[in-house]
Amino acid sequence: MTMPTIKTLLASGHPGDTVTIQGWVRTKREQKTFSFININDGSTLGGIQVVADEQTADYEAVLKRINTGASVAVTGVLAESPAKGQRLELKAQTLEVFGEADDTYPLQKKRHSFEFLRTLGHLRSRTNTLGAVFRVRNACAQAIHQFFHERGFLWIHTPILTSSDCEGAGELFTVTSLDLNHPPQTAEHTVDFSQDFFGKPAYLTVSGQLEAEIMAMAFTNVYTFGPTFRAENSNTSRHLAEFWMVEPEMAFCNLGGNMDLAEAFLKYVFRYVLDHCEEDMAFFNQRIDDTVLATADAIANSEFARITYTEAVTQLQKSGQSFEFPVEWGIDLQSEHERYLAEEVFKRPLIVTDYPAAIKAFYMRLNDDGKTVAAMDVLAPKVGEIIGGSQREERLDILERRIDAAGLPRDAYWWYLDLRRYGTVPHAGFGLGFERLVQFITGMGNIRDVIPFPRTPENIEF
């Protein structure tokens, strides 16, 4: 039997209703003749206050078994709550304990550091902060699917196992079924991957973009939303080895259409979260970062600025700022440059376009000047780049030259080149790191705290 969630009861229950709730005990306060027990089932931030007394069946015996962390079911009658901040409380008639928890339970009522909580990946989701994070994460995912569904996009599942390196960066996890203690050797004393499961090297994907382009050439508008992997040894608050990416691809679309979609996309997600996670967002604004609500409102309601990379470099050079990374045309903009533009110059989100070809991927469309590509980055206050994308190179001869210039083998991209041989069209797309989006919305300082089970260098628990 499905029970109503605590969130549902607090929102739509009425005094006098007889209900049953299930959840985990957050706190218990015993008085002489009655006790207050706060129970949370994960559906809402605060849980519900249960009042148990001598009228509750087996009150004394059951109460002894209830401690912080225990799982329980409570049947009782809803009543108006005199407690501040909660409309209803539950007068317990019966208490049932499913699983006890003794005083070794590590999440007792006190503040715990996020570093400590990362050592408790199996329990940390029961805390207020991580519970709020994962509810917002869920809302973001729901908003993403809803946004694309409303616009007729096809959700496609791109492969996790792949033979190609989308970015050409080489930061790949190799997947093999070979015996690593005794791998087969070629005559040149290298690993003989012809004897491996796929008959050649295989990797965990770094992006679903190239496969999404294949599907866009049949369905016009598609998107991916799935896990990606980077073997980048970065121990920072913004990097994960396993993370989720959102990547739309649109046929018959240029850079302007790409920018329009990216702006509409971000506004939609932020509005959705503000509308559906009001309690959790207020919590983040109070406990984590007191600019969270203002920032989210600005993203949802601001008109994004748009400038070229060249204009951005000019703005930075005339700023008089002493940046850690000196600014000159041809450099890849760093986070400090991106944040300065978004926070100090434009004071709102902006989209920077037309980056130097030398610092961008081979698949980005070469502009008529021969020096820049039709790329775009969406920059946001507080984080810098949040979306990266481009119009893709649809001209076969130029794409071949770009692959050669990048030092990549044409043979590995034979199918990608075929898309330009058979019915090529202008097309564009972008990528958004889902965890960075959640981190930005919630104000959380470390990306490891916005994914349930973070994968980072030397860390693969669970």
Side-chain angles (χ1 to χ4, degrees):
M1 178 181 173
T2 301
M3 303 293 179
T5 64
I6 290 173
K7 180 179 181 179
T8 299
L9 290 177
L10 290 175
S12 56
H14 300 93
D17 290 349
T18 298
V19 300
T20 299
I21 62 164
Q22 299 169 334
W24 292 266
V25 174
R26 288 283 179 85
T27 60
K28 180 182 74 171
R29 289 186 293 122
E30 292 187 56
Q31 307 294 325
K32 282 186 177 181
T33 57
F34 60 92
S35 299
F36 296 114
I37 307 167
N38 183 273
I39 296 173
N40 191 288
D41 64 358
S43 65
T44 186
L45 183 68
I48 190 169
Q49 177 171 276
V50 172
V51 182
D53 58 25
E54 294 171 343
Q55 301 301 311
T56 306
D58 299 320
Y59 173 67
E60 296 290 347
V62 176
L63 195 66
K64 291 177 182 178
R65 301 176 59 206
I66 293 177
N67 295 304
T68 297
S71 55
V72 299
V74 184
T75 298
V77 178
L78 292 176
E80 290 184 4
S81 176
K84 184 179 179 182
Q86 186 163 285
R87 184 174 69 90
L88 297 170
E89 62 185 22
L90 183 60
K91 304 289 189 182
Q93 295 172 330
T94 64
L95 284 165
E96 179 184 358
V97 179
F98 292 119
E100 298 181 32
D102 62 23
D103 57 10
T104 65
Y105 180 65
L107 298 180
Q108 299 297 326
K109 188 182 179 183
K110 63 177 183 177
R111 282 186 178 265
H112 301 285
S113 71
F114 292 128
E115 291 80 5
F116 171 71
L117 292 176
R118 280 177 222 133
T119 69
L120 300 171
H122 58 308
L123 297 173
R124 68 173 185 162
S125 297
R126 299 186 194 181
T127 64
N128 283 340
T129 303
L130 275 296
V133 165
F134 297 135
R135 281 188 296 272
V136 169
R137 182 185 172 103
N138 173 70
C140 289
Q142 296 290 339
I144 287 166
H145 286 302
Q146 193 166 303
F147 173 84
F148 288 117
H149 178 72
E150 290 174 1
R151 285 157 181 79
F153 279 66
L154 190 75
W155 179 25
I156 60 169
H157 302 123
T158 51
I160 291 172
L161 296 174
T162 179
S163 62
S164 65
D165 177 4
C166 174
E167 301 291 343
E171 296 164 342
L172 298 161
F173 287 104
T174 300
V175 177
T176 181
S177 64
L178 295 175
D179 180 354
L180 296 183
N181 292 314
H182 305 285
Q185 300 281 305
T186 65
E188 293 77 27
H189 301 291
T190 60
V191 175
D192 184 2
F193 282 102
S194 69
Q195 297 186 47
D196 204 351
F197 186 90
F198 294 108
K200 60 181 178 179
Y203 313 99
L204 293 178
T205 184
V206 299
S207 168
Q209 178 202 313
L210 302 187
E211 292 86 357
E213 287 187 52
I214 292 175
M215 301 300 280
M217 295 304 105
F219 297 98
T220 306
N221 293 326
V222 303
Y223 74 104
T224 78
F225 187 1
T228 54
F229 308 85
R230 301 282 168 91
E232 182 180 2
N233 192 16
S234 294
N235 249 317
T236 77
S237 62
R238 285 173 54 79
H239 287 88
L240 292 166
E242 177 185 84
F243 55 97
W244 286 63
M245 285 279 286
V246 180
E247 296 174 298
E249 285 291 328
M250 297 81 70
F252 310 102
C253 182
N254 60 18
L255 185 64
N258 204 22
M259 288 192 286
D260 291 343
L261 188 82
E263 179 172 347
F265 170 79
L266 281 180
K267 288 179 174 179
Y268 188 99
V269 174
F270 275 78
R271 285 195 192 105
Y272 187 96
V273 171
L274 286 170
D275 289 344
H276 290 81
C277 300
E278 184 177 354
E279 181 185 40
D280 293 319
M281 289 297 288
F283 172 83
F284 291 123
N285 204 74
Q286 179 184 8
R287 297 291 184 89
I288 303 298
D289 179 345
D290 63 6
T291 66
V292 159
L293 288 175
T295 300
D297 186 71
I299 296 290
N301 297 300
S302 294
E303 193 72 23
F304 289 19
R306 300 186 182 190
I307 61 170
T308 66
Y309 169 90
T310 300
E311 292 167 338
V313 168
T314 300
Q315 289 275 7
L316 293 166
Q317 287 177 330
K318 73 180 187 181
S319 69
Q321 295 292 306
S322 178
F323 294 109
E324 179 183 353
F325 296 92
V327 178
E328 60 180 27
W329 200 96
I331 68 158
D332 201 0
L333 296 182
Q334 301 297 312
S335 181
E336 59 174 339
H337 307 139
E338 296 166 343
R339 290 190 57 178
Y340 180 80
L341 290 167
E343 295 169 17
E344 303 298 331
V345 178
F346 292 93
K347 303 184 189 304
R348 56 188 166 126
L350 74 149
I351 306 176
V352 179
T353 64
D354 304 304
Y355 283 78
I359 62 172
K360 289 296 184 180
F362 71 89
Y363 51 73
M364 297 188 177
R365 193 181 200 278
L366 192 66
N367 287 328
D368 292 342
D369 61 15
K371 298 190 306 179
T372 63
V373 289
M376 68 166 198
D377 284 342
V378 181
L379 312 183
K382 303 180 78 65
V383 293
E385 179 196 342
I386 192 167
I387 283 177
S390 72
Q391 185 172 338
R392 316 309 190 189
E393 184 54 77
E394 85 281 10
R395 298 163 295 186
L396 177 62
D397 58 335
I398 296 176
L399 181 59
E400 288 177 330
R401 293 206 303 269
R402 294 274 285 153
I403 288 175
D404 293 342
L408 299 170
R410 286 193 193 183
D411 289 350
Y413 296 93
W414 64 270
W415 52 272
Y416 195 63
L417 294 169
D418 265 6
L419 295 177
R420 278 72 181 169
R421 291 189 180 97
Y422 309 127
T424 189
V425 298
H427 60 290
F430 62 78
L432 170 135
F434 183 57
E435 281 73 25
R436 288 193 180 178
L437 174 69
V438 179
Q439 189 181 7
F440 180 32
I441 288 178
T442 59
M444 293 296 288
N446 196 309
I447 201 166
R448 302 174 194 205
D449 299 324
V450 299
I451 188 170
F453 306 105
R455 303 294 187 237
T456 54
E458 300 184 18
N459 175 39
I460 188 166
E461 292 292 335
F462 310 103

